[in-house]
C-alpha cells in the first residue's frame, strides 16, 4: 500500500461520529498520547469513509453507538469489510467497544425479535440480555484485572476466547467478558477503557511497535497517568468490596 | 377552581413546615408529595388556571438561563409571573412551589406561569397540562444512563410540544427540533429562532447539538443571532438589530437570550416590545452557578457549572484566555466516569487541582488531553480551602468548574446560599 513506512504510529479512529457515544473514540487519543509520552510520533486519523484511510495503519479503535443508528453504522462499516479483514489477518491491534464490536461479529439479535447482520469478521454474535446492564464491571484477564463501566442491552455468545472471567458485572452474560481473536479485542468496557487499564493499551502499543521495528521506552508521564488510573480503579474495587490493586 | 383543595393545601403546608424543621433548607419535595397524593388534580388545575396561560421551557440544556431571561422580559412588560426558578423540576417540587403562593381556594396571584421543565419529567406530567407556549432549547445527549439516546430525548420533547395550544418556539439550528416543528399540527404556530452562518462559523465545534440543521434560518423566518463578542451579542428582530448584554461570555448564553426573546414574543404577542425585552435581559444578574461570579472572603471566584459533555466543551472553549487558576471538581452525580470523555479539555492548559469524588477520573482525562494537573485532591473541602488561599492570579479570576453535585458541596462548604433550583 505504501512505499516508505511512516516514522511514527498511525492510530485510526473508525467512524468516530457514529460510534462515540461514551467517549470510546478517546481510546485512540489514549494510544497516541502514550506513544508520544514514550517519544514516538503518533497521530490519530478519524476515518469516516474509505477515502479517509491513511496509507499506513498501525492501530485501530472502534467505539460504541446508539441503537437508533445501528443500521446506519453497519452500512457505514460495510465498505471497510475488506480492509478490516486485512487488519485482523495482518495482526494490526484493533480495539472494538460495544456496538462497534457487535457489528464486526456475526450479527445482533435485537429485543424485538429482528436481527441485524454483522460483517462476520469476528466469531460469535450479540443477543439480548434479560435486562440492561449499567454498572461498574470488573474482569479477571490473563494477568491483569480490568475495571470499567458497562451500559448495554445485549450480551455476546460464541466468542472463541473471552477477554476474561467476570468478577463483577454482566459482560457477555455468561460469566465472561469480551472476545479476543489474535490482536483483536472486543469489549463492553465502554469509554476510555485503555486509559483506565493501561496494561491493555501497552499490550496494543507493544504489538504495533514490534510490527514497526520501534522500541518503546518507559515514560515518566505514563507512570503519572497510570498512578491516577490505579487510584480510579481502586476506588471502584473498594466500593465493590474487592481488594485494591 | 374550588375550595375542595383546601384540606390538601393545608396539609401540604404543615408537611412543608415539618420538612423545613427537620432539615433546614431541605425537604422541598415532601409537601408536594403530600398534596399530590391527597389531591392529584391540584398541580395541573392550578397551572392551567393562569389568565395569560402557561409557558413551559424545556430541552437538554440552557433551560434555567432561558427561563430567567424570559421571566425578566415578561416582568418588564408589566406581567405578574409565577415561575419555578427556585424549586426542583420534578412535579413534587413544583407542587411545593405552588404551595408557597396558593390561596386556600387554589388560586395564585399572577397573569402568567413560566415553568422550566426537565425533558424526562416534563413528558411524565405534561399529559395533564395545557401550555399556551412551549419553548424548546436543544437536544444534547445528556445523562446517558437515564435517557440512553438523543432520539428518546427528542421524542419526550415532542410529547411536551404536542400539548401546546398556541405556539411552539423551536431552535431552527437543532435538526431534531427543526423536524419536530415541521411535524406539529397546523392548529399551533411555530416560532423559529437561529444563528447566522457567521455565528456558526465562529464556533468550529458547532453549538453542541446532537444534530445540527444543514441550513440556517432566514431573517424573514424568525429571530436571528447575528453576532457574539464576549458578553455582547446582536439579535435581529423584525428587521432591527438589537444589542444584548449577556450574563456571561459565550455563544450558548447568546442563544439562551435569543430563545428567551423568541419566547417572550410568543407569550406576549402584540404586547411584545423588543427594546423593553432586550433591556430586561441585558440587566439580569449572572445566572446562578453558571459563569456566576462570587466573592469569597474578598476573593473573586467564577463558578462554571458543567451538566453534560457538550456543556463541558462549550465552557472550556469559552473560558477567558490565560485563566491562570483553575479548579475542576466532578462528583458522584457523574455515575459513569466515561461520561465526560467525548469533550476535549486540552484548552484548559493548566489545572491547579482536580477534585470531587471523581477526582481521579477527571484528572485522568485532563492528563490524557495534555493538561498539566498539579494536584489531585478528592477531598473537595481541602481542595477549595487550598485553592482559595492561593495568592490572587496575575491574569483572570480564580475559576471553579464543577458538576452539579460538586457545586452543591462547594456552596455548602463556602457557606454560600444554596438554591433548590440547582440541578440534581
Ligand atoms: Zn474548609
Amino acid at each position: 500500500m505504501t512505499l516508505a513506512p511512516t516514522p511514527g504510529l498511525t492510530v485510526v479512529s473508525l467512524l468516530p461520529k457514529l460510534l462515540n457515544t461514551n467517549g470510546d473514540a478517546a481510546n485512540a487519543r489514549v494510544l497516541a498520547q502514550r506513544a508520544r509520552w514514550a517519544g514516538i510520533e503518533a497521530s490519530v486519523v478519524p476515518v469516516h469513509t474509505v477515502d479517509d484511510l491513511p496509507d499506513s495503519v498501525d492501530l485501530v479503535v472502534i467505539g460504541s453507538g446508539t441503537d437508533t443508528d445501528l443500521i446506519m453504522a453497519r452500512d457505514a462499516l460495510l465498505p471497510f469489510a475488506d480492509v478490516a479483514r486485512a487488519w485482523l489477518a495482518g495482526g494490526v491491534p484493533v480495539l472494538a467497544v460495544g456496538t462497534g464490536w457487535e457489528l464486526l461479529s456475526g450479527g445482533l439479535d435485537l429485543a424485538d425479535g429482528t436481527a441485524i447482520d454483522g460483517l462476520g469478521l469476528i466469531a460469535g454474535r450479540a443477543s439480548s440480555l434479560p435486562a440492561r446492564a449499567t454498572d461498574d464491571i470488573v474482569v479477571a484477564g490473563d494477568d491483569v484485572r480490568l475495571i470499567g463501566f458497562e451500559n448495554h442491552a445485549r450480551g455476546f455468545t460464541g466468542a472463541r476466547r473471552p477477554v476474561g472471567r467476570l468478577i463483577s458485572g454482566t459482560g457477555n452474560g455468561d460469566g465472561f467478558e469480551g472476545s479476543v481473536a489474535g490482536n483483536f479485542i472486543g469489549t463492553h468496557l465502554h469509554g476510555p477503557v485503555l486509559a483506565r487499564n493501561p496494561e491493555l493499551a501497552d499490550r496494543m502499543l507493544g504489538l504495533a511497535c514490534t510490527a514497526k521495528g520501534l522500541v518503546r521506552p518507559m515514560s515518566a508521564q505514563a507512570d503519572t497517568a497510570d498512578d491516577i488510573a490505579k487510584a480510579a480503579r481502586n476506588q471502584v474495587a473498594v466500593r465493590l468490596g474487592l481488594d485494591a490493586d | 377552581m374550588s375550595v375542595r383543595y383546601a384540606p390538601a393545601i393545608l396539609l401540604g403546608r404543615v408537611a412543608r413546615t415539618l420538612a423545613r424543621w427537620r432539615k433546614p433548607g431541605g425537604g422541598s419535595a415532601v409537601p408536594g408529595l403530600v398534596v399530590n397524593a391527597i389531591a392529584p388534580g391540584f398541580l395541573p388545575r392550578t397551572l392551567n388556571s393562569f389568565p395569560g396561560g402557561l409557558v413551559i421551557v424545556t430541552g437538554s440544556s440552557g433551560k434555567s438561563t432561558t427561563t430567567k431571561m424570559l421571566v425578566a422580559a415578561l416582568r418588564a412588560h408589566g406581567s405578574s409571573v409565577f415561575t419555578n426558578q427556585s424549586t426542583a423540576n420534578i412535579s413534587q417540587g413544583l407542587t411545593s412551589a405552588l404551595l408557597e403562593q396558593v390561596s386556600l381556594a387554589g388560586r395564585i396571584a399572577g397573569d402568567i406561569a413560566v415553568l422550566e421543565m426537565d425533558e424526562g419529567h416534563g413528558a411524565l406530567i405534561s399529559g395533564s397540562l395545557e401550555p399556551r407556549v412551549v419553548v424548546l432549547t436543544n437536544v444534547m445527549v445528556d445523562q446517558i444512563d437515564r435517557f440512553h439516546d438523543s432520539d428518546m430525548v427528542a421524542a419526550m420533547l415532542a410529547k411536551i410540544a404536542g400539548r401546546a395550544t398556541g405556539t411552539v418556539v423551536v431552535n431552527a439550528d437543532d435538526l431534531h427540533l427543526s423536524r419536530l416543528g415541521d411535524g406539529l399540527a397546523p392548529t399551533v404556530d411555530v416560532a423559529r429562532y437561529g444563528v447566522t452562518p457567521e455565528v456558526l462559523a465562529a464556533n468550529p465545534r458547532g453549538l453542541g447539538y446532537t444534530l445540527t440543521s444543514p441550513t440556517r434560518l432566514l431573517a424573514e423566518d424568525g429571530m436571528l443571532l447575528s453576532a457574539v463578542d464576549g458578553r455582547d451579542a446582536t439579535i435581529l428582530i423584525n428587521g432591527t438589530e438589537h444589542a444584548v448584554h449577556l450574563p456571561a461570555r459565550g455563544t450558548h448564553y447568546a442563544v439562551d437570550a435569543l430563545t428567551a426573546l423568541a419566547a417572550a414574543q410568543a407569550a406576549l404577542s402584540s404586547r411584545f416590545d423588543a427594546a423593553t425585552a432586550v433591556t430586561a435581559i441585558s440587566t439580569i444578574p449572572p445566572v446562578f452557578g453558571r459563569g456566576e461570579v462570587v466573592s469569597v472572603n474578598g476573593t473573586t471566584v467564577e463558578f462554571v457549572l458543567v451538566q453534560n459533555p457538550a456543556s463541558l466543551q462549550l465552557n472550556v472553549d469559552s473560558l477567558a484566555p490565560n485563566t491562570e487558576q483553575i479548579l475542576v471538581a466532578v462528583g458522584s452525580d457523574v455515575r459513569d466516569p466515561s461520561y465526560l470523555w467525548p469533550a476535549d479539555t486540552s484548552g484548559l492548559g493548566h489545572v491547579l487541582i482536580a477534585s470531587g469524588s471523581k477526582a481521579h477520573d477527571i484528572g485522568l482525562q485532563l492528563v490524557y488531553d495534555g493538561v498539566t494537573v498539579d494536584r489531585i485532591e478528592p477531598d473537595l473541602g481541602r481542595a477549595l480551602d487550598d485553592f482559595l488561599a492561593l495568592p490572587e492570579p496575575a491574569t483572570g479570576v480564580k475559576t471553579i468548574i464543577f458538576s452539579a453535585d460538586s457545586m452543591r458541596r462547594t456552596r455548602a462548604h463556602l457557606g454560600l446560599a444554596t438554591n433548590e433550583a440547582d440541578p440534581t
Side-chain angles (χ1 to χ4, degrees), chain B residues 68-112:
Chain B
K68 284 217 159 149
M69 290 172 164
L70 172 58
V71 167
L74 296 178
R75 287 184 175 151
H77 281 80
S79 293
S80 155
V81 184
F82 170 79
T83 182
N84 65 330
Q85 63 187 12
S86 66
T87 61
N89 293 333
I90 55 172
S91 60
Q92 284 84 5
L94 262 178
T95 307
S96 299
L98 287 168
L99 281 172
E100 302 273 345
Q101 299 183 30
V102 73
S103 72
L104 288 186
R107 227 178 286 276
I108 292 182
D111 310 327
I112 187 167

Side-chain angles (χ1 to χ4, degrees), chain B residues 379-386 413-414:
Chain B
D379 183 335
L380 182 58
R382 190 177 303 165
L384 288 166
D385 290 348
D386 292 354
H413 185 82
L414 300 179

Side-chain angles (χ1 to χ4, degrees), chain A residues 21-23 26 29-30 33-34 37 66 68 132 134-136 149 151 190-192 195-196 225 228 231-232 235 239, chain B residues 141 144-145 148-151 335-339 341-345 357-358 360-361 363-365 367-370 376:
Chain A
T21 303
N22 305 294
R29 200 153 109 211
V30 169
Q33 189 64 283
R34 291 184 77 80
W37 285 341
T66 68
T68 329
R132 186 169 194 87
T134 305
D135 212 339
D136 297 302
F149 201 89
N151 183 2
H190 78 205
R196 291 184 107 199
I228 301 173
Q235 201 175 6
R239 188 169 66 237
Chain B
V141 178
I144 291 165
D145 291 349
H148 185 50
D149 68 41
S150 51
D151 290 10
R335 173 77 183 84
D336 171 8
S338 312
Y339 183 58
W341 276 79
D344 174 2
T345 59
S357 62
K358 292 288 196 290
H360 298 292
D361 292 297
L364 191 61
Q365 175 174 2
V367 165
Y368 273 103
D369 281 344
I376 294 181

